[in-house]
Amino acid sequence: MAKLVIVPTPIGNLDDITLRGLQALREADLILAEDTRTSSVLLKHFEIQKPMRSHHKFNEHQTVDAVVDRILAGETIALISDAGTPAISDPGFLLVRACVRSGVDVECLPGATAFVPALVDSGLPNDRFCFEGFLPQKKGRQTRLKELATESRTMIFYESPFRLVKTLTQFVEYFGEEREVSVSRELSKLHEETVRGSLREVIAHFTENEPKGEIVIVVSGLNMKEKRDKDV
């Protein structure tokens, strides 16, 4: 039956793709990719030859209706991003919403998402957490950080290696330099690394050691003692 299939792709190690993911890509009539050049490496590695089109944040507003029409006409279309699960800090939400509103069947396969291993590796409480993804670059950034200063759940952020130290330094302003933090980079890749400690300690580490690769920041929530101190 024609449908939209959301296919998570590896965040680094190509062997992390699932058997169901490979099957879905092989059975799709069309594959929508965030960057066709990046995704062609994955498809070539697994000897998958299917038509592919770009679907990214710069064109998704203009293309979703045409994609929905193709599925309604009987095609099965797979959506992938450069890495991880589409729609999680990546294009995908608009297309899924359009499909749902048009009565199109949507199936999201389980698979790789960077924040899950980073959260588990952090050693911070993971029974309750909030995923923030990328913070606003300018407008609304300080407002959001101020709101998160009293968040009691573990917080998860994505960040560029070029902005990591600056972001951690901003966290000190709102969370305090002793707040626990874990920074994971290059997850599932050869040079995977997780650095844990206080914000002060982790800033010192990455000031001396230039960070590279994709970054996930996990920050502990406000504990009761900190809350009492803030209330005093």
Side-chain angles (χ1 to χ4, degrees), residues 52-71:
M52 187 164 45
R53 286 191 180 179
S54 295
H55 183 83
H56 46 69
K57 64 181 180 179
F58 301 109
N59 72 0
E60 59 180 340
H61 286 84
Q62 292 77 38
T63 59
V64 291
D65 290 339
V67 173
V68 171
D69 288 342
R70 292 185 65 156
I71 301 174

Side-chain angles (χ1 to χ4, degrees), residues 53 147 151 171 178 210:
R53 286 191 180 179
E147 293 170 347
E151 174 60 65
F171 285 176
E178 295 306 317
E210 182 181 0

Side-chain angles (χ1 to χ4, degrees), residues 34 85-91 131-134 158:
E34 184 179 5
T85 301
I88 303 298
S89 293
D90 273 325
F131 175 73
E132 291 294 318
F134 289 97
Y158 286 164

